[in-house]
């Protein structure tokens, strides 16, 4: 039986989005028929180390390309506002964008803090302040009538951690799935002593309210993060980063899941969604240190046209990377015997 990963095709070496002087992460795309493609990614300056820098300085930016795979060029900055009094005033990260009834929805995580941003050394050494900003992260939503904006971010988060529950520490990695009836299933990740778990909240409209479907995670027993979920017209599919490689057979690669109701999930018969070994259209291959935050762009036929993800060089682990970027990989239609 064909696997999801068998649909990947070689990609141009310069696909996706890079910016000199910045760490680039995430990356979620929209098509604007007759014009081109819009990409929303996170970036922060390389004056700071990668992990500590994102916590204080990540911002969401808008890039554009007339072609699907890019290269994408920086257009403007979307979030945060810079107003420390707002819950999302000082950092924004994890953008994922979706069309919804003539509008565009940009989900993201964000936090805030008082005072000046720390320099590189302070960001690394001040663990107390770093933890405070990290534990303040919540999920938000911005809405626009055009991919060019302006984006109106809601005044309050749409999803908060729940004290005393499994998701009390943080809510992050938002993964909205727009259903044919207009409801939004919002998947998210939280940290537990047993590993990373995926929860689900549902809303009747983008502005919410978002209500948990159950007290416990909908995906547990699998140590994954960075979910991306879609409804293919018959059932739900999810791809997510496999932290240990126990599901897909490759550490930090992608696992593929199916669900009939969006609540009970099972690994796909061929569970590897993607590999960190990437093929390029010049005949070369590269084993990436990271390939995560997967996002898909669907064509008019409802089939994925391209896979977008955060990529990093190095031996593995984003803490060991010298460069990061968003990569865009073309996808072929599903084989006739591939389940949808």
């Amino acid at each position: 039986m064909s696997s999801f990963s068998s649909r990947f095709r070689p990609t141009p070496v310069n696909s996706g989005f890079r910016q000199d002087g910045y760490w680039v992460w995430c990356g979620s795309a929209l098509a604007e028929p007759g014009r081109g493609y819009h990409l929303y990614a996170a970036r922060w300056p390389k004056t700071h180390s990668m992990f500590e820098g994102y916590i204080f300085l990540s911002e969401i930016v808008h890039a554009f390309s007339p072609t699907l795979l890019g290269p994408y060029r920086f257009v403007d900055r979307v979030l945060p506002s810079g107003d420390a009094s707002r819950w999302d005033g000082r950092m924004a990260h994890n953008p994922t964008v979706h069309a919804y009834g003539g509008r565009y929805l940009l989900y993201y995580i964000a936090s805030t803090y008082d005072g000046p941003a720390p320099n590189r050394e302070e960001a690394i050494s001040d663990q107390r302040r770093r933890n405070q900003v990290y534990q303040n992260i919540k999920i938000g939503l911005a809405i626009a009538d055009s991919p060019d904006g302006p984006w109106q971010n809601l005044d309050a988060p749409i999803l908060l951690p729940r004290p005393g529950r499994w998701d009390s520490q943080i809510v992050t990695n938002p993964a909205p799935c727009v259903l044919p009836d207009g409801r939004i299933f919002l998947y998210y990740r939280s940290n537990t002593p047993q590993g990373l778990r995926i929860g689900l909240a549902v809303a009747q409209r983008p502005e919410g309210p978002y209500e948990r479907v159950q007290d416990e995670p909908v995906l547990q027993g699998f140590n994954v993060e960075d979910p991306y979920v879609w409804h293919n017209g018959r059932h739900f599919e999810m791809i997510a980063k496999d932290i240990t490689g126990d599901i897909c057979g490759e550490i930090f690669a992608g696992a593929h899941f199916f669900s009939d109701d969006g609540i009970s999930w099972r690994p796909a018969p061929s569970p590897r969604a993607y590999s960190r070994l990437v093929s390029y259209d010049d005949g070369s291959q590269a084993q990436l240190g990271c390939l995560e935050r997967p996002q898909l762009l669907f064509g008019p036929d409802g089939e994925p046209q391209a896979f977008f993800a955060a990529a990093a060089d190095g031996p593995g682990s984003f803490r060991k990377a010298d460069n990061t970027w968003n990569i865009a990989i073309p996808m072929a239609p599903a084989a006739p015997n591939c389940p949808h």
Side-chain angles (χ1 to χ4, degrees):
M1 182 173 290
S2 298
S3 66
F4 188 85
S5 61
S6 69
R7 302 175 64 177
F8 284 55
R9 295 295 178 260
T11 192
V13 173
N14 65 346
S15 77
F17 175 56
R18 300 172 184 254
Q19 264 200 298
D20 291 341
Y22 287 93
W23 303 107
V24 173
W25 208 243
C26 307
S28 182
L30 283 173
E32 186 177 9
R35 184 180 173 205
Y37 300 86
H38 301 264
L39 182 75
Y40 306 86
R43 73 171 191 184
W44 57 102
K46 285 185 128 182
T47 54
H48 287 60
S49 60
M50 187 192 171
F51 180 77
E52 290 80 8
Y54 110 82
I55 290 176
F56 292 103
L57 297 172
S58 179
E59 59 186 10
I60 295 171
V61 297
H62 169 212
F64 179 81
S65 170
T67 59
L68 173 63
L69 302 180
Y72 286 77
R73 305 300 183 194
F74 172 80
V75 176
D76 57 8
R77 181 176 170 276
V78 178
L79 289 165
S81 66
D83 181 355
S85 67
R86 285 187 56 96
W87 73 272
D88 57 356
R90 296 299 296 275
M91 73 84 80
H93 197 66
N94 278 178
T96 180
V97 68
H98 298 262
Y100 185 93
R103 296 187 295 169
Y104 299 93
L105 310 179
L106 180 64
Y107 291 79
Y108 60 97
I109 63 170
S111 186
T112 194
Y113 54 91
D114 294 325
N119 61 32
R120 181 186 180 97
E121 291 71 27
E122 291 168 341
I124 293 172
S125 63
D126 194 345
Q127 184 174 353
R128 181 198 61 79
R129 192 179 186 206
R130 193 168 66 245
N131 288 345
Q132 184 180 40
V133 176
Y134 180 79
Q135 291 167 3
N136 237 356
I137 285 174
K138 304 172 182 70
I139 295 175
L141 173 64
I143 303 175
D145 293 327
S146 163
D148 289 311
W151 293 91
Q152 182 61 49
N153 47 326
L154 302 186
D155 289 334
I158 59 170
L159 199 69
L160 304 171
R162 297 181 296 172
R165 305 292 183 90
W166 71 272
D167 50 4
S168 63
Q169 185 177 119
I170 190 174
V171 289
T172 187
N173 296 168
C177 174
V178 178
L179 272 63
D181 63 8
R183 289 180 299 158
I184 298 171
F185 277 28
L186 179 61
Y187 296 86
Y188 65 96
R189 185 258 289 179
S190 193
N191 309 341
T192 76
Q194 296 76 36
L196 308 181
R197 298 292 181 260
I198 306 300
L200 171 61
V202 176
Q204 302 297 320
R205 55 195 291 269
E207 295 84 353
Y210 289 80
E211 300 177 346
R212 266 78 169 189
V213 298
Q214 61 187 37
D215 285 339
E216 296 303 313
V218 295
L219 192 65
Q220 55 183 330
F222 301 106
N223 198 7
V224 301
E225 66 173 354
D226 295 343
Y228 182 88
V229 181
W230 69 103
H231 192 278
N232 63 27
R234 292 182 291 279
H235 51 246
F236 295 82
E237 297 186 55
M238 177 192 294
I239 54 177
K241 176 186 173 184
D242 187 349
I243 299 297
T244 60
D246 291 342
I247 309 163
C248 73
E250 180 186 341
I251 189 170
F252 298 155
H256 186 201
F257 299 90
F258 286 104
S259 175
D260 296 322
D261 59 6
I263 299 172
S264 300
W265 290 88
R266 61 190 182 276
S270 299
R272 183 177 298 181
Y274 60 87
S275 170
R276 290 187 291 119
L277 181 64
V278 172
S279 297
Y280 293 100
D281 63 1
D282 63 359
S284 65
Q285 289 186 315
Q287 181 75 29
L288 300 180
C290 295
L291 189 64
E292 49 194 81
R293 290 294 300 153
Q295 304 278 304
L296 300 176
L297 181 63
F298 292 85
D301 60 358
E303 291 287 335
Q305 288 184 315
F307 169 94
F308 293 82
D313 59 13
S317 170
F318 43 71
R319 290 182 182 270
K320 299 177 181 178
D322 292 322
N323 299 284
T324 66
W325 64 99
N326 174 266
I327 193 170
I329 302 176
M331 297 185 67
N337 63 343
C338 184
H340 274 244

